[in-house]
Amino acid sequence: MVSAPSGKKIYIRNIQTIIMKQKKGFVLREVCGENAIVGEGLDAIDFGRLLSLNETAAWLWKEAQSQVDFTVDSLTDKLCEEYDVAPDTARRDIENIVKEWQKIGVIED
């Protein structure tokens, strides 16, 4: 908890430890040779777009799906096991990907 300039107390959540999951109705598909998250079914009816993913982001989506409930830290650990990447670099990249997923509404906490 920190104080805003107005003196009001605000709570800051640490994205690394927030437990998240993929929203129902969003799946990884290959579209024209590219990995993409697309909406399927009534739960994703308002989505109306697809999100293109590079190979690593697609791997992370699959890993998040296998974990059901995941955190940035749990994905970081798995990514570092699978690829030769420094933990700090992996965590920063995963935080950016997760923030994008949150922004477009394909995951929830």
Side-chain angles (χ1 to χ4, degrees):
M1 179 173 46
V2 297
S3 294
S6 65
K8 183 178 179 181
K9 302 284 185 194
I10 58 173
Y11 293 88
I12 298 175
R13 295 174 30 172
N14 181 348
I15 192 169
Q16 295 173 357
T17 57
I18 296 171
I19 298 172
M20 296 167 271
K21 65 181 177 180
Q22 295 171 346
K23 282 189 178 175
K24 185 177 176 184
F26 293 98
V27 295
L28 181 66
R29 295 278 185 249
E30 188 173 313
V31 179
C32 298
E34 299 289 325
N35 291 307
I37 296 173
V38 297
E40 290 186 337
L42 295 176
D43 292 327
I45 201 161
D46 292 332
F47 190 60
R49 59 184 149 176
L50 55 89
L51 174 66
S52 181
L53 303 179
N54 66 25
E55 181 181 332
T56 305
W59 185 91
L60 287 168
W61 182 262
K62 291 175 192 173
E63 184 59 38
Q65 185 176 36
S66 74
Q67 291 183 25
V68 182
D69 294 327
F70 65 91
T71 65
V72 167
D73 285 345
S74 70
L75 292 179
T76 298
D77 291 344
K78 290 295 188 177
L79 187 68
C80 289
E81 288 174 14
E82 184 73 17
Y83 294 94
D84 183 24
V85 60
D88 289 342
T89 301
R91 184 170 291 106
R92 184 177 55 249
D93 290 348
I94 291 169
E95 284 176 2
N96 289 334
I97 290 169
V98 166
K99 285 176 185 175
E100 182 66 21
W101 291 348
Q102 287 173 321
K103 184 172 124 182
I104 64 168
V106 296
I107 62 172
E108 59 192 1
D109 54 40

